């Protein structure tokens, strides 16, 4: 009897998985299948002939769970940490003890004796190795989630309203910037050497070098975050709209520096990306393209004893799909980035929709479009990676208490490490066919 029950259960599962191409409202919803079920298609394997890699993002508290690691290993070959490589985590709460650092311009400054986040980074890299995963590094330079003390003289900010009244000079900030990027990238390179990685086989194979530096309301001559009317304030309602980077530099110098430093200290086969949101809006797309040109035309300078130019390889399209996203605008901007000579990584894909059927439809439309620009696209540059920004609905940044359907999976009951499929999962699988 037990064998018969098991047989019937398996037959029902196979029947359910065979129905996914037609499931969805107004038809009955798709079956909810455990993401670890051996009969469930693997997303990475489904897309292996379309994109170079397929990834998911989550925070460390999920990533440290062995069952979550098992699911990621089944469905992904690339991974992104949600917050743990951002400057706030890597730098920590204070500068701590200090040491001397002399930058490539000969400027000697005091810098923290160590980066507090490096020890945790080593642990994450070991988990990746154990699960045959690789990672997109996110992010080296960002206006947000960077501690205020990093921009202040003596690492001790004083304020005049929301403004830091003792910001460091451009020269000292440039030295701090070089130290920060050098410290992280050299740590990863050393770890790779000790753990059997190397040229053509990088555990962190791409970096978002600069994130979200272009304002939504920019113009051709005034487009950087911190320069426009909507981004001049640093902390309206407690959220950083402006940029301490821009306050110090007043131009794009820090962005070009970042890509120069990254090129100097990252291995040449590690890809360097600019990453942004609303990158599919026509006006912002044009401002991003202008910034890309300025990065490419940045001056060659001596960094770490070598002659180094800024290098940018990838446009990171975050791809947070919401009620303002137009598919035609998205595809038009995507083609502009490709035609500009950059590969594209879809870095943070999710769909902010409160209806499972609408979310499923958007996943279907966008993935049918995205696959056209994968490995079989006729152009030289292509979409090389797609990363979903989260695993399950409930822990998404646009969850809205679990009432949205932004991702491919949802919690099984109240579990924190067991997930089942959303309808959108099957839309993604079907779009590959």
């Amino acid at each position: 009897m037990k064998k018969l029950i098991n047989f019937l259960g398996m037959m029902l599962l196979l029947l359910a998985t065979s129905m996914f191409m037609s499931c969805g409202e107004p038809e009955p919803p798709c079956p909810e299948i455990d993401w670890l079920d051996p009969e469930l298609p693997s997303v990475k394997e489904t897309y292996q002939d379309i994109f170079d890699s397929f990834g998911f993002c989550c925070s460390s508290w999920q990533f440290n769970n062995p069952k979550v690691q098992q699911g990621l290993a089944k469905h992904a070959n690339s991974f992104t940490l949600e917050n743990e490589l951002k400057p706030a985590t890597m730098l920590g709460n204070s500068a701590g003890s200090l040491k001397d650092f002399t930058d490539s311009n000969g400027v000697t400054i005091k810098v923290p004796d160590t980066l507090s986040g490096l020890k945790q980074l080593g642990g994450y890299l070991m988990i990746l190795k154990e699960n045959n995963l690789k990672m997109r590094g996110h992010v080296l330079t960002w206006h947000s989630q960077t501690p205020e003390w990093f921009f202040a003289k003596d690492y001790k900010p004083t304020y005049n309203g929301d403004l830091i009244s003792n910001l460091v000079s451009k020269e000292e900030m440039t030295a701090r910037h070089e130290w920060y990027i050098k410290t992280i990238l050299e740590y990863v390179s050393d770890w790779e050497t000790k753990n059997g990685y190397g040229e053509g086989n990088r555990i962190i194979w791409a970096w978002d070098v600069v994130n979200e530096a272009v304002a939504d309301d920019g113009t051709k001559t005034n487009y950087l975050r911190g320069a426009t009317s909507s981004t001049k304030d640093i902390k309206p309602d407690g959220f950083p709209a402006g940029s301490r980077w821009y306050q110090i530099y007043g131009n794009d110098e820090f962005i070009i520096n970042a890509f120069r430093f990254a090129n100097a200290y990252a291995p040449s086969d590690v890809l360097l990306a600019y990453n942004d949101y609303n990158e599919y809006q026509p006006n912002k797309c044009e401002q991003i393209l202008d910034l890309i040109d300025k990065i490419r035309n940045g001056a060659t300078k001596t960094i770490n004893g070598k002659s180094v130019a800024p290098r940018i390889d990838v446009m990171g399209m975050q791809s947070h799909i919401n009620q303002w996203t137009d598919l035609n605008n998205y595809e038009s901007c995507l083609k502009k980035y490709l035609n500009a000579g950059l590969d594209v990584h879809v870095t943070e894909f999710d769909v902010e929709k409160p209806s499972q059927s609408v979310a499923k439809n958007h996943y279907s439309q966008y993935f049918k479009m995205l696959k056209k620009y994968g490995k079989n696209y006729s152009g030289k540059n292509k979409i090389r990676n797609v990363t979903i920004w989260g695993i399950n609905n409930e822990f998404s940044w646009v969850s809205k208490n679990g009432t949205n359907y932004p991702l491919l999976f949802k919690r099984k009951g109240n579990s924190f490490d067991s997930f089942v499929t959303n309808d959108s999962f099957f839309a993604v699988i079907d779009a590959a066919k």
Side-chain angles (χ1 to χ4, degrees):
M1 178 62 71
K2 185 176 181 180
K3 290 183 178 180
L4 177 60
I5 292 174
N6 289 340
F7 174 76
L8 291 173
M10 182 58 69
M11 292 303 294
L12 287 172
L13 175 62
L14 292 174
L15 177 62
T17 55
S18 70
M19 294 167 55
F20 71 78
M21 285 188 289
S22 62
C23 62
E25 300 170 9
E27 296 85 7
C30 300
E32 294 181 358
I33 302 176
D34 192 296
W35 74 324
L36 293 177
D37 193 289
E39 301 297 330
L40 188 70
S42 159
V43 184
K44 70 176 182 183
E45 292 174 2
T46 301
Y47 278 86
Q48 64 185 352
D49 295 327
I50 299 174
F51 307 125
D52 291 349
S53 60
F54 200 101
F56 287 84
C57 159
C58 69
S59 289
S60 59
W61 70 269
Q62 274 191 293
F63 183 59
N64 287 328
N65 186 296
K67 286 188 68 177
V68 174
Q69 294 165 19
Q70 187 180 356
L72 289 171
K74 173 181 171 68
H75 291 288
N77 42 28
S78 181
F79 173 71
T80 305
L81 280 165
E82 187 172 13
N83 294 298
E84 286 74 8
L85 292 190
K86 292 174 181 176
T89 306
M90 296 302 297
L91 286 163
N93 295 324
S94 67
S97 60
L98 302 176
K99 64 181 181 182
D100 287 337
F101 172 75
T102 301
D103 77 351
S104 294
N105 293 318
V107 176
T108 299
I109 62 169
K110 295 291 185 180
V111 296
D113 188 56
T114 186
L115 281 177
S116 62
L118 290 180
K119 182 177 180 181
Q120 289 82 359
L121 174 57
Y124 303 138
L125 296 179
M126 190 57 67
I127 293 173
L128 291 168
K129 179 181 179 181
E130 292 168 351
N131 289 277
N132 197 29
L133 288 165
K134 297 182 179 182
M135 181 158 64
R136 292 190 81 260
H138 177 76
V139 52
L140 292 173
T141 306
W142 193 23
H143 70 279
S144 184
Q145 288 184 244
T146 301
E148 296 275 79
W149 59 258
F150 189 53
F151 302 103
K153 293 178 181 178
D154 301 319
Y155 302 106
K156 296 177 181 179
T158 57
Y159 290 89
N160 179 11
D162 284 333
L163 297 178
I164 294 179
S165 57
N166 63 335
L167 289 169
V168 296
S169 65
K170 286 198 300 183
E171 291 73 20
E172 179 158 353
M173 197 67 235
T174 298
R176 292 184 185 188
H177 200 186
E178 180 178 353
W179 162 79
Y180 180 76
I181 291 177
K182 168 184 169 71
T183 302
I184 293 176
L185 296 184
E186 288 188 341
Y187 176 88
V188 174
S189 293
D190 290 344
W191 190 96
E192 288 184 330
T193 299
K194 294 174 183 176
N195 287 274
Y197 293 83
E199 186 174 355
N201 180 31
R202 302 294 178 186
I203 195 161
I204 299 186
W205 61 280
W207 278 96
D208 293 328
V209 177
V210 178
N211 194 45
E212 300 175 359
V214 174
D216 290 336
D217 60 338
T219 65
K220 189 170 184 64
T221 57
N222 196 46
Y223 61 86
L224 291 179
R225 177 178 294 276
T228 69
S229 59
S230 72
T231 64
K232 285 182 179 179
D233 292 332
I234 291 296
K235 290 187 175 181
D237 301 321
F239 294 95
S243 167
R244 300 295 188 200
W245 289 104
Y246 186 82
Q247 278 189 315
I248 292 172
Y249 286 87
N251 55 34
D252 56 20
E253 182 180 347
F254 73 96
I255 301 171
I256 296 168
N257 286 343
F259 282 94
R260 189 185 293 111
F261 295 147
N263 192 23
Y265 294 109
S268 60
D269 57 338
V270 171
L271 302 176
L272 306 181
Y274 175 74
N275 191 52
D276 215 329
Y277 71 96
N278 287 347
E279 73 292 345
Y280 45 71
Q281 293 181 354
N283 180 65
K284 188 169 182 177
C285 173
E286 294 303 322
Q287 316 314 327
I288 291 172
L289 289 167
D290 284 347
L291 176 60
I292 289 168
D293 281 343
K294 290 183 178 181
I295 294 168
R296 284 173 158 166
N297 292 321
T300 296
K301 295 186 178 181
T302 300
I303 306 294
N304 198 31
K306 300 177 182 178
S307 183
V308 181
R311 171 167 65 91
I312 180 170
D313 309 296
V314 170
M315 174 60 200
M317 297 185 69
Q318 290 189 14
S319 306
H320 296 296
I321 307 304
N322 54 43
Q323 60 182 318
W324 299 285
T325 312
D326 179 87
L327 179 65
N328 292 327
N329 284 342
Y330 185 106
E331 186 171 9
S332 174
C333 290
L334 164 63
K335 289 192 288 188
K336 287 180 179 181
Y337 299 132
L338 295 174
N339 291 337
L342 294 178
D343 286 335
V344 164
H345 293 175
V346 178
T347 57
E348 305 182 19
F349 195 96
D350 53 23
V351 175
E352 188 177 355
K353 296 294 180 182
S355 163
Q356 180 153 208
S357 62
V358 175
K360 170 181 176 285
N361 183 53
H362 278 71
Y363 266 99
S364 178
Q365 289 180 334
Y366 276 85
F367 270 80
K368 286 178 180 178
M369 180 270 295
L370 292 173
K371 77 172 185 178
K372 294 190 300 183
Y373 300 94
K375 291 181 181 180
N376 293 324
Y377 181 54
S378 59
K380 176 181 177 182
N381 296 98
K382 308 173 190 294
I383 297 177
R384 301 292 184 180
N385 168 270
V386 173
T387 296
I388 306 295
W389 199 246
I391 296 172
N392 60 297
N393 301 336
E394 296 83 357
F395 304 150
S396 166
W397 74 293
V398 289
S399 166
K400 294 189 177 177
N401 297 317
T403 60
N404 265 346
Y405 293 84
L407 303 173
L408 302 190
F409 304 99
K410 63 181 178 180
R411 293 171 72 180
K412 180 186 288 186
N414 294 320
S415 174
F416 284 91
D417 58 11
S418 296
F419 309 112
V420 295
T421 53
N422 287 320
D423 287 4
S424 295
F425 172 88
F426 297 109
V428 169
I429 298 299
D430 187 34
K433 298 184 183 302

